[in-house]
Amino acid sequence: MLRKRVLSAVFAGVFAALSLVATPAVASAEATEAAVQASLDQELAKRAAISPAAVSVCYAVHVADAGWLPAVCDAEEAGIPAQGKRIEAIRIGVNGGGAGVCYAPHLQDIGWVGESCNLREAGTTGQSRRLEALRIRGEGTRLCYTATGQGYEYQEPVCQNDVVGTIGQSRYMSGIAIWIA
């Protein structure tokens, strides 16, 4: 019952944020980029303040018809899989102990593209191009992750540069969770 109340509160917050992010009259593309960066910075700083010695991973996804969603951290679900919304881009950051992260997306009609590191955008925005698979590599820390998407439930977790999602099946990812292992 508690989990249901927590999820309801989280989804209410997400949907409230979605209306602000997705409304062109409220924010320009530059303001949205700044908002997602601020959200990631805030979440990483909050975790560092709570436990300065601990390493945390925070991430934000850009979702079709919704834009950038607020940052989540440490194995929380990013995306809107319940609505079947495709993830189009992702930003990932790690704090603590000199750790870092690099990640490479596999994109619709493009395939694998170069790595992005430490909060840089990987994927596309404004092109309606789905993110189909992802490789994540922690630097100075071990990262594990899982994803769900079109026609598949959350996959078995993989770690350190292994592939999550699908390749060659034209399926989008709709949810992802990343954690320190």
Side-chain angles (χ1 to χ4, degrees):
M1 188 65 169
L2 177 61
R3 182 174 186 223
K4 194 177 213 178
R5 278 186 267 150
V6 170
L7 286 174
S8 294
V10 168
F11 286 130
V14 167
F15 291 125
L18 287 177
S19 64
L20 294 176
V21 172
T23 306
V26 173
S28 67
E30 295 81 24
T32 302
E33 290 293 321
V36 74
Q37 186 66 44
S39 175
L40 282 161
D41 291 342
Q42 180 181 24
E43 287 300 321
L44 287 165
K46 186 182 344 177
R47 278 160 173 71
I50 292 169
S51 182
V55 178
S56 290
V57 59
C58 295
Y59 39 101
V61 295
H62 184 275
V63 175
D65 303 322
W68 285 101
L69 301 182
V72 296
C73 302
D74 300 325
E76 293 177 293
E77 180 179 74
I80 315 176
Q83 294 181 18
K85 299 285 187 178
R86 73 179 174 273
I87 294 174
E88 298 176 338
I90 189 167
R91 290 176 179 232
I92 307 171
V94 176
N95 74 331
V101 60
C102 291
Y103 36 99
H106 185 277
L107 303 174
Q108 171 187 355
D109 299 327
I110 295 177
W112 290 107
V113 297
E115 277 190 333
S116 295
C117 298
N118 302 322
L119 299 175
R120 300 273 187 221
E121 182 179 311
T124 62
T125 57
Q127 296 182 26
S128 297
R129 192 178 305 275
R130 67 182 169 262
L131 191 143
E132 298 175 335
L134 188 66
R135 290 190 319 244
I136 304 171
R137 177 174 48 84
E139 298 176 333
T141 191
R142 179 176 163 82
L143 295 175
C144 294
Y145 39 98
T146 183
T148 186
Q150 182 181 12
Y152 61 95
E153 295 298 319
Y154 272 99
Q155 300 172 327
E156 288 294 317
V158 297
C159 301
Q160 284 304 95
N161 219 31
D162 283 339
V163 175
V164 70
T166 61
I167 299 171
Q169 298 179 26
S170 298
R171 295 181 183 199
Y172 59 79
M173 290 174 54
S174 59
I176 189 164
I178 309 166
W179 61 94
I180 306 294

